Amino acid sequence: MNLGGPSSNNANDNNAGATLIHILFDLGPACTTNAATLREALRLVTQKLPNNGGLNNNNNGLSSWKEPAVARLIHFFSAVGTKPNNTNEKENALSAAFVGAWINNPDWNKDASKNNGGEWNLEVISQVLTTDFARLHWPSVGRSFDFSEFKIRDGRHLEVLLALFRAGASAAVQQQQQQQQ
């Protein structure tokens, strides 16, 4: 499986990206408690997939993510981050407990109580996109939204998708400007 790039196979890109999203959905909102937890969850999700989910086999975590996978990530977080919170407290507690155990951090649950009752923390997601994915070619991320499951539910979903995309793309522009100086 390959998650992007000029020589990638689109069917494999879609399958790998979809697998990443399904795992994040199962982890639930607790994986967005803070930036470190989200980074660790993304790193572990990447490692657990066969052949690193088609990512570069360098175990560098987020540095190996490619544009199609990030487009799916943005779409996923914008969808779940704007959906009405229909989960109950037991499901949120299970998400928090699972994420804490999975990232092997016994003190993690102290931060989980700050997670607004189990809502996806869009500020944390934006922060990780800004700091960890600025190296990507963001026009390619934009083109990578062309996948069969891409749907916009309502205006709020679109607003959040654009805000998350803008966060990563703006960081990339700033990084390029700094390199030119």
Side-chain angles (χ1 to χ4, degrees), residues 3-6 8 10 13-14 21 62-78 125 128-130 132-147 150 160-173 176:
L3 288 183
S8 68
N10 286 337
D13 290 351
N14 288 337
I21 297 312
L62 302 185
S63 66
S64 60
W65 282 59
K66 296 182 182 173
E67 288 81 357
V70 174
R72 280 189 175 268
L73 196 68
I74 291 170
H75 180 261
F76 166 73
F77 282 129
S78 66
I125 298 160
V128 169
L129 287 170
T130 300
D132 295 66
F133 294 107
R135 63 167 175 70
L136 293 176
H137 184 252
W138 281 87
S140 293
V141 173
R143 284 190 294 277
S144 296
F145 285 118
D146 186 16
F147 54 90
F150 184 84
V160 171
L161 182 129
L162 292 173
L164 292 175
F165 179 83
R166 191 176 304 115
S170 296
V173 169
Q176 289 173 351

Side-chain angles (χ1 to χ4, degrees), residues 10 23 39 44 48 53 71 78-79 87 115 122 127 132 144 152 174-175 179:
N10 286 337
I23 295 170
R39 284 185 187 104
L44 288 171
K48 300 297 180 192
S78 66
T87 61
N115 196 14
L122 297 173
Q127 178 185 354
D132 295 66
S144 296
I152 299 294
Q174 289 173 357
Q175 189 178 58
Q179 289 174 352

Side-chain angles (χ1 to χ4, degrees), residues 1 9 25 35 40 47 50 61 71 73 77 111 119 126 144 151 162-163 176:
M1 278 185 211
N9 177 321
F25 183 78
E40 184 65 4
Q47 280 184 339
L73 196 68
F77 282 129
D111 289 337
E119 294 178 13
S126 180
S144 296
K151 292 175 181 57
L162 292 173
Q176 289 173 351

Side-chain angles (χ1 to χ4, degrees), residues 36-50:
T37 301
L38 180 57
R39 284 185 187 104
E40 184 65 4
L42 292 173
R43 186 186 68 77
L44 288 171
V45 165
T46 302
Q47 280 184 339
K48 300 297 180 192
L49 291 175

